[in-house]
Amino acid sequence: MAGKVGKFFKRAGLTVGALLVVGIVFGLHEWYGKPFYINNYFNRVFIQYIWDKPEMLTSMGMLEQIGIKGHNAEWSDDSIAAGDRDLAFLEEIMAGVDEYDPDKLTESERLSVLVLKELLGDPEKMRRFRFHSYPVNQLFGLQNSIPRFLDTFHRVNEPEDAEHYISRLSKIDTKLDQNMEGLLVREEMNIIPPTFVIDKSVEIMENFVAQPAEENVLYVSFQEKLEKADAIDETQRAVFLDAAREQIETVVYPAYQGYIDYFADLRESSTNDAGVWKLPDGEAFYNYMLRTITTTNMTADEIHELGLAEVDRIQAEMLEIFEAEGYDPSLGVKALFDELAEDDRFYYPDTDEGRAQILEDYAEIIDEIEAGMSQAFNMMPKADVDVRRVPEFSEKTAPGAYYNGPSRDGSRPGIFYANLYDIKATPKYGMRTLAYHEAVPGHHFQTALQTEMEGVPEFRKEAGFTAFSEGWALYAERLAWEMGYQEDPYDNLGRLQAELFRAVRLVVDTGIHARRWTREEAIDYMLENTGIAESDVVSEIERYIVIPGQATAYKVGMLELLRLRDEAKQALGEDFDIREFHDVVLGNGDLPLIAVRQQVMKYITEKQAS
C-alpha cells in the first residue's frame, strides 16, 4: 500500500518533505482505498488530477507557498497517451463518487457531487468528440497560449524561477510535438480548420518568428520580470537573458516554423465552411456543446428564436433613447451607431497617449464602482484587479477584452485585459459596461470570491460553468445600471449595445453551426444589428466559429439569473434583500444553472419560514 503511494508521489515529483506536508493536510490514510469522508475523496482526486498538470499548478500558485516549485520547469503533457489517461481517470472518479450513499451526505456534499458530475459530463461523448476542435486558431490557439501563459502566470522572483522559465522555453518543441499528434489525428478524421483560421494562425506564427529574439514577448516579458526581481543581480540577469535568447532562437523558432510549414500544406485541404455541421457527427457534436455550455436542454432552434426575440426587444429600447437624444429612430440601430462612430467626442486619440488614457480611465471606473458595492453585496473579494493591454503580438485577432483570475497565494491580482488595437472599438460610452463585465461586479468579483471560498473541496474553487460565469458578468452590467452607475444616456446605450451583442450571438452562433450560415452571412447580420465596430464583429464571429456554442451562454445565463431574482422578489416581497440574493448566487462558486435554481429556491423557502 505504501509502495503505491510512494510511486504516485515520485511520479508527481514530490520530495519527502512535501509528502509529509500533504500527508499532514489530508491524512495519509485517506490516500488508500475509499476515503471515509467524500470531501477527502474530492480533494484526493483533485490533487491526483492536477499533479500531472504543471501549467494548472503554476496558475493556481498553491505549492509555491510550501516551497514546491519543480512543476514550474515543466509543461503539461498534451500527448494522446496523456489524454487517454485523463479520460480513464475521469471515469474512475465518476465511479468513485457513485460509491457514496447520497442519503448519508450533507447538503453541501450533495451539491459538490452535482457540480462534479456536471463537470465530468458524459464520458462516452467526451471520447466521441475528443478531437472535435481546432487547437491552433487565431484567438486562444496553442501558438498564442504558450507565450501568453509564460507572460501572465510564470513568476520570476529568484534565480530558481528564472532557471525554470528557461527550462520551459527549452521544452516548447516537445509541447508542440505532443500537440502535433492530435493535429494529425484530426487531419485523418477530416477535422480541418476553415481556411481563414489557418491563414490567420499562420500569419500570427510568421510574425512571431520574424522578430529578433530580443523583441519577442518571450524575451521582453522575461526581461521585465528579471528587472523586478530583487533577489537576482545584474550579472545573473545577463546570463539568464542570454540563455533565453538562445532557447528562443534554437528551440522555439524552429518549432513554430514546423507548425507554419504543416499548416501551409494543410491549407490545400481546407474549405471556407464555417460551422461544425461539416465535421463527423457535427449536428450531435453541436447539440452536445450547447448542453455542456448552457447547462440546459435548450435546442439550437429554441436558442435561435430566443435570440431573435431579444434582438427586437433591446433594439426597441435603444431607439427610444436615441429619439430622446434628438436622433431620428427611423434610421435604425446600425445607422444611428454609425453616426456616433463619426462623432470624435466619443473616442480617444489614436496614439500611445490615447491608449494609455483608456487604461487609466478603466481603472477609475472600477475604483468608483468598488466604493459602492456594499449597496448590493455582503461579500467582497480580497483580491485586487488590474487593467492591462492585450499583448500586442496577439491583439489583432484577440477579442475585445478578457479576464484572468487571481492566484491562490495572492501574488497575482485578477487581470482585465483590454484590446486597444482598433481605437474605434473602444467608444467611451461602452467602457463602463465593459469594465463592469470584466472586473467589478462581473468576472473579477465572481471569480475572486470563488477562489477565496472556504469549507469546500478544492476542485470547487477551480470549477467553471460558462453559463454561470458569463451569465453573471452580463447580469453585472445590468446591475451596475440599476445601481445608478450609467445615468448618462449614452452610457446606457453602451450597456444596451453590449446586451444586444449577446442577443445577436444567440442568432449567429446557431446560424453558423446549425443553420449553415457562412462566415460572411454571420458578419453581415451582426454588423447590421449591433452598430459595433467591424473589427470587433469580425473577431467575434471568427471566435464563434472556433469555439462553437460558447457565445450562447451569456444571454441564457443572464436571463435565468434575472428570472430567479424576479421569482425571489415576488415570493418574498418586502423581505427580499438583494445582498442576500447575491450571497446565494455567488456563495457556492460556479454552478450549473439547475444548481443555482435549487439554491435560490432553498433560500426562498428558508426565508419564508424564518
Side-chain angles (χ1 to χ4, degrees):
M1 215 178 280
K4 290 182 180 178
V5 174
K7 287 179 182 178
F8 164 72
F9 283 104
K10 183 177 180 181
R11 187 171 66 251
L14 278 176
T15 63
V16 173
L19 172 57
L20 290 174
V21 171
V22 176
I24 291 169
V25 174
F26 295 103
L28 284 176
H29 66 283
E30 293 293 286
W31 289 97
Y32 318 133
K34 172 186 171 185
F36 183 78
Y37 296 106
I38 194 170
N39 278 349
N40 285 354
Y41 174 75
F42 289 143
N43 286 331
R44 185 184 78 178
V45 297
F46 177 69
I47 291 172
Q48 288 174 318
Y49 180 74
I50 67 172
W51 215 265
D52 288 331
K53 309 288 183 296
E55 293 160 50
M56 185 179 292
L57 291 171
T58 297
S59 66
M60 290 168 62
M62 291 175 60
L63 295 179
E64 289 79 1
Q65 300 176 60
I66 54 175
I68 300 174
K69 290 188 172 184
H71 55 280
N72 292 324
E74 307 294 334
W75 293 101
S76 300
D77 188 344
D78 290 345
S79 66
I80 289 178
D84 290 339
R85 291 193 297 271
D86 282 348
L87 286 170
F89 185 51
L90 293 178
E91 290 175 344
E92 288 179 23
I93 294 173
M94 185 80 84
V97 170
D98 288 339
E99 292 182 14
Y100 291 87
D101 183 350
D103 293 334
K104 296 180 180 179
L105 301 179
T106 66
E107 185 177 329
S108 175
E109 290 169 343
R110 284 195 292 272
L111 180 60
S112 292
V113 170
L114 188 157
V115 171
L116 183 64
K117 287 192 171 184
E118 190 69 35
L119 283 172
L120 296 180
D122 184 330
E124 184 275 326
K125 285 190 172 66
M126 290 176 69
R127 289 184 181 276
R128 180 180 173 190
F129 299 125
R130 175 179 174 183
F131 296 105
H132 281 56
S133 63
Y134 307 132
V136 174
N137 63 70
Q138 76 284 5
L139 295 176
F140 298 107
L142 181 66
Q143 79 285 359
N144 288 341
S145 65
I146 289 174
R148 185 180 289 126
F149 174 85
L150 288 172
D151 176 51
T152 303
F153 295 110
H154 192 108
R155 304 167 186 81
V156 178
N157 297 315
E158 55 189 25
E160 183 184 15
D161 303 328
E163 292 167 359
H164 289 161
Y165 187 96
I166 293 165
S167 174
R168 274 181 161 154
L169 291 180
S170 74
K171 297 170 184 175
I172 285 176
D173 56 349
T174 300
K175 186 170 185 65
L176 292 178
D177 286 345
Q178 290 169 347
N179 279 274
M180 182 57 73
E181 295 177 15
L183 291 173
L184 293 173
V185 170
R186 288 174 174 84
E187 185 179 359
E188 290 178 6
M189 297 175 65
N190 201 33
I191 298 177
I192 297 173
T195 305
F196 84 87
V197 173
I198 293 176
D199 288 344
K200 294 196 172 187
S201 299
V202 168
E203 180 184 3
I204 291 169
M205 291 188 286
E206 287 178 336
N207 291 337
F208 185 78
V209 302
Q211 298 172 308
E214 294 89 344
E215 297 177 14
N216 188 284
V217 64
L218 294 173
Y219 184 96
V220 173
S221 175
F222 187 42
Q223 185 176 39
E224 292 172 352
K225 292 173 193 281
L226 288 171
E227 290 172 353
K228 295 176 182 177
D230 295 334
I232 303 175
D233 62 37
E234 286 190 26
T235 301
Q236 291 173 311
R237 289 172 191 163
V239 172
F240 288 137
L241 286 172
D242 282 343
R245 182 192 304 109
E246 180 182 356
Q247 294 302 327
I248 292 169
E249 291 175 345
T250 63
V251 175
V252 179
Y253 281 178
Y256 268 68
Q257 186 60 51
Y259 265 53
I260 292 170
D261 296 341
Y262 170 75
F263 278 97
D265 291 339
L266 186 66
R267 187 183 191 279
E268 297 179 8
S269 302
S270 69
T271 70
N272 289 318
D273 292 334
V276 296
W277 53 265
K278 70 176 183 178
L279 305 182
D281 296 322
E283 181 179 355
F285 169 62
Y286 187 54
N287 291 336
Y288 166 68
M289 292 301 294
L290 290 179
R291 169 64 185 86
T292 301
I293 288 167
T294 69
T295 62
T296 74
N297 292 314
M298 293 183 71
T299 66
D301 282 344
E302 288 171 338
I303 292 173
H304 193 86
E305 294 303 318
L306 173 63
L308 292 173
E310 283 292 285
V311 167
D312 289 343
R313 177 188 65 79
I314 297 166
Q315 286 184 343
E317 290 186 34
M318 297 169 85
L319 291 175
E320 288 182 7
I321 297 174
F322 272 117
E323 185 172 17
E325 294 304 306
Y327 294 87
D328 179 1
S330 67
L331 295 175
V333 166
K334 181 182 184 301
L336 292 170
F337 272 108
D338 285 346
E339 282 192 37
L340 297 189
E342 297 302 318
D343 192 333
D344 290 341
R345 64 182 163 139
F346 295 121
Y347 294 92
Y348 291 80
D350 193 0
T351 62
D352 289 343
E353 292 76 16
R355 287 171 170 79
Q357 188 62 51
I358 289 174
L359 298 180
E360 289 182 22
D361 289 352
Y362 272 133
E364 287 186 12
I365 290 169
I366 293 167
D367 288 343
E368 177 194 35
I369 197 168
E370 274 187 322
M373 283 296 93
S374 59
Q375 300 175 50
F377 294 91
N378 291 318
M379 300 186 300
M380 307 286 178
K382 297 171 185 160
D384 292 329
V385 59
D386 285 352
V387 184
R388 299 182 190 173
R389 180 176 181 174
V390 170
E392 292 183 52
F393 81 92
S394 64
E395 65 182 357
K396 184 177 179 181
T397 57
Y402 55 87
Y403 171 81
N404 283 333
S407 61
R408 295 278 195 95
D409 64 359
S411 64
R412 187 188 68 251
I415 303 171
F416 157 28
Y417 284 97
N419 193 331
L420 305 183
Y421 176 74
D422 179 4
I423 206 73
K424 284 288 189 177
T426 308
K428 293 179 181 178
Y429 56 78
M431 289 176 61
R432 284 183 172 273
T433 295
L434 188 59
Y436 303 147
H437 180 103
E438 299 293 346
V440 179
H443 283 313
H444 174 66
F445 224 70
Q446 178 261 319
T447 302
L449 285 172
Q450 178 180 10
T451 301
E452 296 163 8
M453 286 193 303
E454 297 179 356
V456 298
E458 288 299 310
F459 85 91
R460 291 274 302 279
K461 300 179 184 181
E462 298 295 323
F465 295 97
T466 308
F468 179 86
S469 59
E470 296 297 354
W472 171 263
L474 189 50
Y475 170 87
E477 297 175 13
R478 180 186 177 103
L479 177 66
W481 170 67
E482 293 170 339
M483 294 173 67
Y485 286 96
Q486 291 157 309
E487 292 183 346
D488 185 302
Y490 291 103
D491 286 337
N492 195 24
L493 278 173
R495 176 188 71 85
L496 288 169
Q497 187 180 37
E499 186 179 0
L500 177 63
F501 193 35
R502 279 42 176 258
V504 166
R505 280 176 167 174
L506 300 178
V507 179
V508 296
D509 196 286
T510 51
I512 292 166
H513 297 295
R515 302 195 175 196
R516 304 196 176 199
W517 287 15
T518 65
R519 168 182 173 274
E520 290 69 30
E521 286 175 322
I523 289 172
D524 288 345
Y525 180 87
M526 181 168 273
L527 279 173
E528 186 61 33
N529 284 281
T530 63
I532 290 172
E534 185 171 0
S535 61
D536 270 1
V537 168
V538 172
S539 170
E540 288 292 322
I541 294 298
E542 292 178 350
R543 167 185 163 188
Y544 313 151
I545 290 169
V546 299
I547 316 177
Q550 192 266 354
T552 66
Y554 298 68
K555 209 69 174 67
V556 170
M558 176 208 191
L559 290 175
E560 176 64 2
L561 292 176
L562 289 173
R563 272 193 296 270
L564 289 171
R565 191 177 70 174
D566 287 343
E567 290 176 34
K569 281 182 177 179
Q570 292 176 11
L572 300 176
E574 293 182 357
D575 290 333
F576 175 80
D577 185 331
I578 195 167
R579 291 168 296 186
E580 292 179 355
F581 175 77
H582 291 152
D583 287 349
V584 174
V585 172
L586 295 180
N588 290 292
D590 261 37
L591 295 175
L593 293 181
I594 187 174
V596 181
R597 174 164 285 278
Q598 289 174 359
Q599 294 300 303
V600 173
M601 294 302 108
K602 172 176 169 287
Y603 158 69
I604 292 173
T605 300
E606 292 178 351
K607 185 82 171 177
Q608 288 174 327
S610 63

